[in-house]
Amino acid sequence: MLLLQQAASVACYGGLMVISSLPPTLSPQPLSWRKKTPKIKMKSGQCIMRRALIISELELKPPPYSLNSLEPHLSRETLELHWGSHHRAHVARLNSLIAGTDLDGMGLDDIVIATYNKGSPRAPFVHAAEVWNHDFFWQSIKPNGGGQPSGKLMELIERDFGSFSRMLKEFENAALTQFGSGWVWLAYKANKLDVGNAVNPCPSEKDNKLIVLKSPNAVNPFVWDYSPLLCIDVWEHAYYLDYENRRDEYVAVFLEKLVSWEVVSHRLDIAIKRAADRAREDEKDS
Amino acid sequence: MALRAIFSKKTPVLASGFGAGSRCLRSGLCQARGVAAVALPDLPYDYSALEPTISGEIMRLHHQKHHQTYVANYNNALEQLETAVAKGDAPAVVRLQSAIKFNGGGHINHSIFWKNLKPVNEGGGEPPHTSLGWAIDTCFGSMEALVQKMNAEGAALQGSGWVWLSLDKGSKKLTVETTANQDPLVSKGANFVPLLGIDVWEHAYYLQYKNVRPDYLKNIWKVINWKYASEVYEKETA
């Protein structure tokens, strides 16, 4: 559970509890984060443990770098607000919505899929997905990022887009045409026909390939059973303090200076293995 | 007084240029094309005139950058549409619809929004003592109840969009509606007329209110132009 003083600084929109104050100044040092741990709560007033409540609460993961270390590309103030208020508020709200429900105790991935509910999202979805998206986003970037990918990732980029610069162009274009709030993704689309509420009777030419796609608000391609590799947050709060309305500049800087291609490569390795494992299972079943 | 304010002594025209005789407030843009292009309307007040409720910095960016971009992109899309229609290129016509809807909607919505706001020293925030005031009491119970409802719905809107006080010109009923992104109110109902719209995109408040959208909503009522809303209401219910 978030400490009360942290909870007191939560202020956000979307029907959440609001206390009108700015968040406390956060330490520039990354907090050591704890994995989700089940707590055993004693029923109050009981001397003997008659019944224990297991409460599993999701915790706010800090980025793997200090909040000022992405300067001058993303300011400390932006990180303090984006991670310290927006992301934090989604964690708090998600915990309060799932407490005592069938979702309590589930891992975040499972909560996202369950609450997406095959395209008819339940109330916790926006918060679960935003926690997922923001965790993913912070991991996708790093101080002194940018440069170019190599190895298998570069090979697939060249195979599926023609060239690295073409992929960047497509990614930028998607970011600039995501009308409203949302996210843009580089993802690996495996050959999986069941995509929830979508009707997909035939494998498409995009299977087992890298693709660029965009999603509105909190939706992410994870719910469509794709393997996301990289994302950029194009909600205005992600860039407005540093870039105002110049989303194009933010996207360019993100790609040139911030992306951690090592992380993207690592995710691709996992995605390919996952697709191969599933293909073997499908073969066994058929 | 700023130069802009002197010019705005004239009635500001929403230069949606359909055919000859339309005024265009930017250089030659409308006249140069055969299409029905639009232009950025001037604000009827200085950028800083809504302070401290909305900062001059936000107003300037909101008008000169965001709204201007919607205007430019809408005109661009219309030009491409004209070409596509002339060529009989149906896929291109369809492909252009999202840009037209988004940018055209952005232009429509913001043009209304600037008229929905007024400096305090020009009557901004003064509640309507008109037929609209009575209608609000009838439909919502009180002005406070309306404000509370609009604030709640505005705060709950996920992502970007608008919250509206809407008049159904068929039934003459007032309702609170929300639209996503830049969808205009009419996309919720063909009979819906916007009396008031509040922009809840982050760009409308972030520089000043950061992520505390509810504070922005609570404060914006201090500069709401009820006179404009009343005029629209009276015209539609006459």
Side-chain angles (χ1 to χ4, degrees):
Chain A
M1 180 70 80
L2 289 175
L3 295 174
L4 279 177
Q5 55 265 37
Q6 287 172 314
S9 71
V10 164
C12 51
Y13 49 85
L16 311 185
M17 183 185 76
V18 169
I19 298 168
S20 300
S21 60
L22 290 174
T25 308
L26 296 168
S27 159
Q29 298 307 314
L31 304 167
S32 58
W33 63 279
R34 298 155 288 167
K35 289 193 178 136
K36 178 168 68 76
T37 48
K39 296 178 199 166
I40 309 238
K41 193 169 172 182
M42 304 295 287
K43 279 209 119 190
S44 59
Q46 302 291 330
C47 303
I48 307 163
M49 190 172 86
R50 287 198 186 153
R51 197 186 304 174
L53 296 171
I54 309 278
I55 300 169
S56 291
E57 286 158 354
L58 295 159
E59 295 183 350
L60 176 68
K61 283 191 232 175
Y65 38 77
S66 60
L67 298 185
N68 62 349
S69 60
L70 300 183
E71 287 180 340
H73 314 302
L74 287 176
S75 63
R76 174 184 163 143
E77 193 190 4
T78 289
L79 272 280
E80 283 181 351
L81 274 166
H82 198 175
W83 175 75
S85 288
H86 290 271
H87 187 173
R88 185 188 296 271
H90 284 296
V91 172
R93 186 60 176 160
L94 176 63
N95 280 330
S96 76
L97 283 175
I98 68 174
T101 71
D102 57 320
L103 301 168
D104 202 348
M106 284 169 74
L108 182 61
D109 286 7
D110 294 332
I111 295 173
V112 169
I113 299 296
T115 55
Y116 182 66
N117 196 27
K118 300 201 169 207
S120 304
R122 295 159 57 185
F125 173 73
V126 62
H127 305 295
E130 283 291 86
V131 174
W132 197 102
N133 296 344
H134 283 93
D135 283 346
F136 196 84
F137 177 61
W138 303 128
Q139 301 281 337
S140 296
I141 56 180
K142 63 172 193 180
N144 305 309
Q148 295 208 358
S150 57
K152 186 76 182 167
L153 175 59
M154 186 58 127
E155 195 188 304
L156 290 196
I157 286 173
E158 287 174 344
R159 183 193 72 180
D160 297 334
F161 294 94
S163 67
F164 180 55
S165 59
R166 274 201 179 151
M167 185 277 286
L168 292 182
K169 196 89 201 112
E170 204 174 310
F171 192 91
E172 273 172 351
N173 192 53
L176 299 180
T177 56
Q178 175 47 38
F179 296 143
S181 313
W183 301 76
V184 172
W185 308 83
L186 176 67
Y188 183 76
K189 184 180 187 296
N191 181 15
K192 189 92 165 83
L193 300 186
D194 175 16
V195 288
N197 67 321
V199 176
N200 183 10
C202 306
S204 89
E205 61 172 21
K206 287 187 176 172
D207 284 345
N208 291 319
K209 280 191 173 178
L210 296 180
I211 54 168
V212 163
L213 63 160
K214 51 192 176 182
S215 59
N217 295 346
V219 180
N220 61 37
F222 178 68
V223 304
W224 302 321
D225 214 20
Y226 294 18
S227 294
L229 305 178
L230 171 67
C231 76
I232 184 172
D233 188 348
V234 292
W235 283 66
E236 286 177 323
H237 63 243
Y239 59 91
Y240 211 80
L241 294 183
D242 298 323
Y243 296 93
E244 295 170 344
N245 66 311
R246 302 183 306 277
R247 192 191 278 189
D248 53 346
E249 214 175 293
Y250 159 66
V251 176
V253 166
F254 173 88
L255 290 171
E256 283 167 38
K257 308 281 187 187
L258 292 176
V259 175
S260 170
W261 292 113
E262 296 82 11
V263 166
V264 179
S265 281
H266 177 62
R267 288 167 175 165
L268 175 64
D269 292 341
I270 296 172
I272 290 174
K273 183 174 183 308
R274 181 173 172 245
D277 288 346
R278 283 220 302 248
R280 269 195 294 277
E281 273 171 38
D282 289 347
E283 228 180 85
K284 256 194 257 170
D285 293 341
S286 63
Chain B
M1 222 195 218
L3 199 61
R4 180 170 297 280
I6 293 170
F7 283 164
S8 69
K9 288 291 187 192
K10 301 179 200 161
T11 313
V13 170
L14 172 54
S16 52
F18 284 96
S22 62
R23 268 185 63 195
C24 288
L25 297 164
R26 296 288 166 193
S27 59
L29 192 63
C30 296
Q31 291 92 6
R33 295 178 176 157
V35 297
V38 303
L40 182 71
D42 275 350
L43 293 195
Y45 36 77
D46 278 351
Y47 288 133
S48 57
L50 302 180
E51 285 178 351
T53 302
I54 306 177
S55 71
E57 190 190 8
I58 286 182
M59 291 303 292
R60 182 185 59 80
L61 273 166
H62 206 171
H63 181 248
Q64 282 185 3
K65 303 288 180 187
H66 291 274
H67 191 170
Q68 176 66 78
T69 301
Y70 292 130
V71 166
N73 289 345
Y74 178 58
N75 287 336
N76 193 25
L78 285 186
E79 210 181 312
Q80 291 180 53
L81 179 68
E82 196 196 28
T83 307
V85 168
K87 280 190 191 162
D89 185 352
V93 170
V94 171
R95 197 177 56 239
L96 285 163
Q97 297 310 306
S98 62
I100 289 171
K101 179 184 177 188
F102 179 68
N103 292 293
H107 171 59
I108 291 167
N109 295 339
H110 286 86
S111 300
I112 296 167
F113 187 52
W114 309 136
K115 290 190 269 194
N116 282 156
L117 304 174
K118 208 160 184 59
V120 171
N121 62 7
E122 292 178 33
E126 271 176 32
H129 301 292
T130 58
S131 54
L132 175 58
W134 305 327
I136 286 170
D137 287 345
T138 306
C139 291
F140 300 101
S142 65
M143 174 64 80
E144 290 71 31
L146 167 64
V147 168
Q148 206 172 18
K149 187 170 170 63
M150 283 189 74
N151 287 352
E153 299 217 11
L157 192 150
Q158 287 174 20
S160 310
W162 293 75
V163 58
W164 304 95
L165 175 61
S166 167
L167 168 68
D168 183 325
K169 61 184 177 187
S171 66
K172 311 295 186 211
K173 284 240 166 68
L174 296 176
T175 53
V176 170
E177 306 288 339
T178 57
T179 55
N181 300 327
Q182 292 299 350
D183 293 354
L185 179 61
V186 72
S187 63
K188 267 285 175 81
N191 270 346
F192 285 167
V193 174
L195 303 180
L196 280 184
I198 300 177
D199 189 347
V200 293
W201 279 66
E202 286 171 326
H203 66 241
Y205 60 88
Y206 206 78
L207 290 180
Q208 185 175 352
Y209 293 92
K210 305 297 189 295
N211 62 317
V212 194
R213 192 193 279 179
D215 275 2
Y216 158 71
L217 288 167
K218 195 174 68 182
N219 281 310
I220 200 169
W221 296 99
K222 297 173 186 166
V223 291
I224 287 293
N225 183 5
W226 282 109
K227 186 161 172 287
Y228 168 79
S230 293
E231 283 166 5
V232 175
Y233 179 80
E234 275 154 28
K235 177 166 161 273
E236 295 292 342
T237 55

